Amino acid sequence: MTGVVVLDNGGGLIKAGHGGDLDPTTVLPNCLLRPLSSKKFLHPDPLVSPSAPSSAAAAAAAAAAAAAALDLTSAAVRRPIDRGYLINADLQRDIWAHLFANHLRVSTPSCSLLLTEPPFALPSVQRATDELVFEDFGFKSLYVADSASLVHLYEASTSPQGLVSKAQCSLVVDCGFSFTHTVPVFQNFTLNYGVKRIDLGGKALTNYLKELVSYRSINVMDESFLMDDVKEKLCFVSLDVDRDLQLARKPGQDNVFRCTYVLPDGITHTKGFVKDPEAAWRYLNSTDESHLTSGGTIIDVEKPESAEDRKRIDLTKNEFDLTNERFLVPEMIFRPADLGMNQAGLAECIVRAINSCHPHLHPVLYESIILTGGSTLFPRFAERLERELRPLVPDYYQVKITTQQDPILGVWRGGSLLASSPDFEAMCVTKADYEELGSARCRRRFLR
Amino acid sequence: MEDESSNPLRRMSSRTRKVAPKMVAALASSDNRTQAMLARLEALENDNAGTEVGDLNDDDEASLDDDDDDGYMHKKQSKSTRRKTRQAKALENARKAPRTFFELLHEANLESLPPHIPSYLRAAVGPPSSTSRRHFCTVCGFTATYTCVRCGMRFCSRRCQNIHNDTRCLKFVA
């Protein structure tokens, strides 16, 4: 054990583990919850518990966790992070204390900390973070990294022959929970004059989906976690919005986008699920062809089943249908203007970020776009981005978009690599430095 | 039965007629429409829909109960020196409450930085190059060709217009 705690403190999920490991020890929501059954705010269950290597054991552990899991129906949430930045240090202290004591099981004074922070954190936010790290937890030393350079580091290390590692230069598109950043990275340093931000992330998308479903079918305004699940399971990025809107208009079984999500009833299942997962994903096959010829066969297979299902709908009323919402929600990242935001879409954001860098970097940056962050997990995200980007880029440049193996953990893995490098300790600010110099002057060490 | 079914309808229609003139006057100006839109965008960043204020208050009380032992001692000591007014209490609560990101942003006074220094404000991507905006029907989600003359929301057909008028027109909050 290297004694370095690597903490990717995201607005949605905390990814935490020991430096040098392959994967984080634990991934847990960065919030406190108050389910209906409780009067106090509780710590959420981790998504990744210290997992057993074999899949059977992991499945058993997951089943056990599901049985013991909190019922998140209508749970109230408190988050320490608002719009990507740490604003509630007291709450974060609670969450971290729980994390260090129960999940990582480390004693903080004997550890160093590698912490991620979004670009352009306000001085007051930085001060609060430093106080938290050194005064409340007493870490030996601290290194504050920005997530983009960690992603770059990780990508460069996974393919030593690739362009990213040869040119030491990449454009990281981090589409996370709170917002979306496009960040040019050069020689492992973020070019902060090139950073561009769209104020849309997974949280806004979930809330938008909530709004749509609540207006059109069932009031789910309180069910953040449920709708997160719906979004993750059912939303996708459309390659041709106009055509898909036409398709989504079709009635009944002709409509390849229609799918049903069953809400938890609190008795037999406490988590919602997609009623017919295969049917939910059939658009992936059928829309590749110009006409829905393959749709006909599917109808025959499903008809008896759906007749039964129809009856069930009337009896219980605990499910809702989604059609065009499935692709109109992620669509907002590409066209925030459609929501009424006065901001450019992701493709244009990338072009602007690259244009603010030196012209010599342009060809390399266009060829090494790395997608990271949980919101890039929508199916066909990269494909759509390439289609939008290509017309905006001069034709003598190549456009190449790399997706990460696990976009949620990409930043953490980069941090783990950095923490295990031999000169990591030299880059840190120690507690003694902090006590002598204070927050602001220590921060200059991280060159931003 | 008939009375019951017709009464709420009549009441509803009378209500809209009563409210409508003022609301129409207010919402006809584009200022208020943009304000409503901004409020909606703001709502997209909320954690708990609607109930946020209530929840926070509840929690404040709960946390006071939790650490009341030492908190109470302090209060007892300070009671002799200073009388605790309601206003003072409110001020103290405001001080203790976590501030929102925009308060912190305002405090940081980033506008005063010289223009060549990149900051949070300058990192925003800025307006899109093309002003064309696609409009989706607020009722069903398809491409919307019509605009509600009273509130400016979009709909695609007569059917959706009726639903819009019955449920959402001039309400703005879904």
Side-chain angles (χ1 to χ4, degrees), chain A residues 14-136:
Chain A
I14 299 184
K15 283 74 75 179
H18 301 286
D21 287 0
L22 202 64
D23 277 322
T25 315
T26 182
V27 176
L28 83 162
N30 195 359
C31 60
L32 290 186
L33 302 169
R34 193 187 56 197
L36 287 179
S37 55
S38 155
K39 279 192 175 169
K40 279 186 172 177
F41 278 88
L42 308 172
H43 290 280
D45 301 316
L47 303 185
V48 179
S49 42
S51 59
S54 77
S55 63
L70 293 172
D71 183 10
L72 296 181
T73 311
S74 302
V77 191
R78 296 178 71 200
R79 298 184 193 277
I81 290 184
D82 179 34
R83 289 166 176 81
Y85 297 97
L86 178 71
I87 57 153
N88 192 341
D90 295 337
L91 193 55
Q92 189 71 80
R93 187 189 308 127
D94 283 356
I95 295 172
W96 281 7
H98 176 77
L99 171 76
F100 294 138
N102 299 340
H103 294 299
L104 294 183
R105 296 196 178 84
V106 291
S107 98
T108 51
S110 59
C111 290
S112 303
L113 179 69
L114 190 156
L115 181 69
T116 62
E117 193 171 69
F120 306 117
L122 304 171
S124 55
V125 172
Q126 294 183 337
R127 210 179 312 123
T129 313
D130 287 348
E131 274 173 21
L132 199 60
V133 169
F134 286 121
E135 291 174 19
D136 290 323

Side-chain angles (χ1 to χ4, degrees), chain B:
Chain B
M1 273 309 279
E2 222 169 76
D3 272 22
E4 271 178 18
S5 66
S6 64
N7 263 342
L9 277 179
R10 209 183 300 140
R11 213 179 296 140
M12 205 165 75
S13 67
S14 78
R15 179 180 157 275
T16 41
R17 229 178 289 132
K18 219 192 246 169
V19 177
K22 267 187 189 170
M23 285 284 274
V24 168
L27 292 168
S29 75
S30 56
D31 270 7
N32 291 341
R33 283 187 189 176
T34 44
Q35 221 166 48
M37 204 154 66
L38 288 178
R40 176 167 171 250
L41 288 180
E42 180 79 1
L44 285 183
E45 294 290 333
N46 274 354
D47 284 323
N48 303 307
T51 54
E52 193 134 40
V53 183
D55 277 338
L56 284 177
N57 285 345
D58 282 356
D59 179 63
D60 273 353
E61 269 156 39
S63 65
L64 278 179
D65 286 344
D66 282 344
D67 53 17
D68 55 359
D69 286 335
D70 44 1
Y72 198 61
M73 292 301 279
H74 284 294
K75 259 182 226 162
K76 261 189 180 165
Q77 281 170 356
S78 63
K79 220 175 210 173
S80 57
T81 55
R82 207 167 47 121
R83 243 182 71 223
K84 199 143 205 181
T85 59
R86 197 171 282 200
Q87 192 188 7
K89 225 180 217 170
L91 278 176
E92 194 174 292
N93 275 344
R95 198 172 45 80
K96 258 199 296 185
R99 288 172 305 170
T100 66
F101 175 68
F102 286 110
E103 284 166 3
L104 292 175
L105 187 66
H106 185 71
E107 205 171 74
N109 199 14
L110 293 178
E111 290 91 347
S112 65
L113 288 174
H116 62 273
I117 295 180
S119 70
Y120 177 83
L121 294 177
R122 275 178 253 289
V125 63
S129 58
S130 80
T131 49
S132 73
R133 173 184 168 187
R134 290 172 304 175
H135 292 282
F136 299 111
C137 175
T138 49
V139 178
C140 68
F142 296 107
T143 318
T145 34
Y146 308 107
T147 311
C148 176
V149 287
R150 285 194 293 175
C151 67
M153 287 182 123
R154 297 284 178 144
F155 50 85
C156 66
S157 61
R158 275 304 288 273
R159 198 181 138 262
C160 289
Q161 183 188 14
N162 288 336
I163 297 175
H164 168 80
N165 284 342
D166 288 348
T167 59
R168 209 177 206 182
C169 192
L170 297 175
K171 290 199 180 90
F172 280 103
V173 185

Side-chain angles (χ1 to χ4, degrees), chain A residues 294-375:
Chain A
S294 65
T297 54
I298 295 173
I299 292 170
D300 295 337
V301 179
E302 283 173 4
K303 217 150 206 167
E305 202 180 328
S306 75
E308 268 173 41
D309 289 345
R310 281 285 151 73
K311 272 178 210 157
R312 214 148 64 85
I313 293 174
D314 287 4
L315 281 174
T316 54
K317 292 264 185 202
N318 62 350
E319 53 194 35
F320 58 84
D321 278 5
L322 291 179
T323 51
N324 55 23
E325 296 87 355
R326 293 178 69 189
F327 55 88
L328 287 180
V329 168
E331 183 68 19
M332 294 307 139
I333 290 187
F334 295 94
R335 299 278 179 86
D338 291 351
L339 257 185
M341 287 180 92
N342 193 20
Q343 290 201 314
L346 187 58
E348 213 172 318
C349 187
I350 290 174
V351 172
R352 285 183 197 178
I354 291 179
N355 280 344
S356 54
C357 298
H358 193 279
H360 288 173
L361 291 178
H362 291 187
V364 198
L365 286 177
Y366 278 123
E367 228 176 304
S368 51
I369 298 173
I370 304 171
L371 293 184
T372 186
S375 295

